Amino acid sequence: LGGRNLPFAEIDNEIISVLKLKPMSVYEISHRTRRAWRTVRDHLRRLRELGKVECHFSEQGKLWFLKQDNLVFVEEPQIVNLDLMKIIWDKVEAKELMYYEKSQSKFRMPLIEESGILFPLSLFEAIRTVLAKSFGHHRAEGILFDIGRKHALHAIKKFSNLLRGGHQSLAEKLFDCGINLELGKKIFKSIYESQGWFKVIDIKWGKNCVFKFKYTFESFAYSGIYPCKFIEGYLVGFIQVLFNENVVGHKEIKCVSMGNDYCEFHIEVENDVQKKLDLLFP
Ligand SMILES: [Zn+2]
């Protein structure tokens, strides 16, 4: 899960700064920035895709150059836009954009440009067990729901803020990037499947947004005994930010914990979001 911001764009900018001195090899950049050479290599690849640097072979080997017409520093929104395009048009899976940042021993999480860690699902089980022991099952589920919702509000708002478009909803901003609601489902699937959250079977947008997932991480963590309250809360926050709509109802109507072989969440909003966007973008 996300943590404090890691300065990914900062590393890019350090590399650009040292390359302003002269063209250099990966190793020299690594030495001067005191960053692991693998980190430098990964960032150089991204900078090349952003059109900031290029590499040429010379007598001293492979050297990296700044592109002269492109000395402006890199900003996170550019990186996020590039990553979005890679997922949609180049069909790169989101997990390919997630990489291990050696100097800080963290994973870079794409689209929200945050650092993350891996933890076993038994940790989630421990959290639920302690909450249930302290407050009872019902209250524990309420807390997990609130944490899920709060986390989505943070993460999805952050992603939305990294896209241009001011006060528009995330769905409208995505549309401006050429991503309609159908393609939006693809990004959703790529991101959350890459992070191990669940397998997406189906998503429907409307007044009632329907999500069908198999193998949710919560059903794994709780051995299929308790409902997926964190995910339910997460979807509520997600829908709120995606469409800038008030959520008027939410329920996990099917769950592994009820004996179903998949989980189905219904998130109801004030206005039919499919119709609302069809009106905006006929
Ligand atoms: Zn469930």
Side-chain angles (χ1 to χ4, degrees):
L1 295 176
R4 252 192 72 240
N5 265 355
L6 260 193
F8 295 107
E10 211 172 275
I11 299 173
D12 290 333
N13 291 327
E14 281 173 21
I15 293 172
I16 290 177
S17 288
V18 297
L19 282 180
K20 278 184 177 171
L21 304 171
K22 65 181 175 79
M24 290 177 203
S25 68
V26 172
Y27 302 101
E28 189 171 357
I29 300 168
S30 156
H31 179 73
R32 286 180 184 251
T33 58
R34 295 162 188 261
R35 302 278 183 188
W37 74 267
R38 282 196 181 82
T39 304
V40 171
R41 180 199 57 193
D42 288 343
H43 281 262
L44 280 169
R45 284 178 183 162
R46 264 151 50 106
L47 287 168
R48 183 169 54 188
E49 284 165 356
L50 288 165
K52 301 283 175 190
V53 300
E54 54 196 352
C55 72
H56 298 290
F57 287 92
S58 73
E59 283 160 25
Q60 300 109 299
K62 196 173 171 183
L63 289 185
W64 289 85
F65 292 71
L66 267 191
K67 279 196 159 179
Q68 285 310 312
D69 54 339
N70 222 331
L71 295 172
V72 196
F73 279 138
V74 178
E75 288 171 349
E76 279 172 341
Q78 280 179 287
I79 298 168
V80 169
N81 259 294
L82 184 79
D83 284 351
L84 257 183
M85 296 304 133
K86 276 195 217 164
I87 295 172
I88 287 295
W89 308 115
D90 304 337
K91 298 190 169 51
V92 172
E93 283 208 50
K95 63 171 176 279
E96 307 296 331
L97 304 171
M98 202 156 22
Y99 64 79
Y100 185 66
E101 217 290 300
K102 202 181 170 193
S103 61
Q104 284 138 328
S105 305
K106 300 286 178 293
F107 288 91
R108 166 194 176 242
M109 309 191 71
L111 303 187
I112 53 171
E113 291 300 302
E114 274 196 20
S115 53
I117 62 163
L118 286 180
F119 61 70
L121 288 176
S122 53
L123 174 59
F124 227 83
E125 205 271 326
I127 292 171
R128 195 197 180 284
T129 302
V130 172
L131 286 174
K133 215 172 171 187
S134 308
F135 306 111
H137 284 284
H138 184 70
R139 188 72 199 104
E141 284 168 6
I143 294 169
L144 285 165
F145 176 93
D146 287 346
I147 296 172
R149 183 171 166 273
K150 174 123 181 117
H151 176 54
L153 290 176
H154 161 79
I156 310 300
K157 268 184 196 160
K158 183 164 182 199
F159 170 50
S160 183
N161 288 338
L162 286 168
L163 296 176
R164 289 172 200 93
H167 293 293
Q168 294 185 93
S169 69
L170 174 58
E172 291 166 85
K173 288 182 181 182
L174 288 171
F175 196 88
D176 285 345
C177 300
I179 299 165
N180 61 18
L181 284 178
E182 263 326 286
L183 289 170
K185 290 180 191 174
K186 277 194 190 174
I187 299 183
F188 183 91
K189 184 176 164 72
S190 183
I191 293 287
Y192 295 100
E193 288 188 2
S194 286
Q195 293 178 14
W197 282 37
F198 34 67
K199 214 159 175 64
V200 177
I201 306 172
D202 195 24
I203 300 174
K204 283 194 179 77
W205 309 117
K207 174 152 172 45
N208 186 30
C209 297
V210 178
F211 296 85
K212 291 184 193 175
F213 303 145
K214 225 173 166 165
Y215 313 122
T216 67
F217 75 87
E218 278 185 290
S219 63
F220 266 58
Y222 316 146
S223 312
I225 299 172
Y226 305 111
C228 308
K229 281 290 167 184
F230 174 94
I231 294 174
E232 188 183 330
Y234 190 89
L235 292 173
V236 168
F238 171 78
I239 289 289
Q240 253 180 288
V241 181
L242 181 62
F243 298 112
N244 218 350
E245 277 282 327
N246 286 327
V247 170
V248 295
H250 51 84
K251 202 171 185 208
E252 186 181 17
I253 67 152
K254 287 181 185 169
C255 183
V256 173
S257 67
M258 301 174 206
N260 303 105
D261 64 352
Y262 63 92
C263 300
E264 181 171 334
F265 302 86
H266 288 195
I267 314 294
E268 201 190 329
V269 281
E270 269 178 351
N271 303 292
D272 185 326
V273 291
Q274 184 86 57
K275 274 190 194 153
K276 186 172 151 186
L277 285 164
D278 284 348
L279 281 174
L280 279 171
F281 311 107

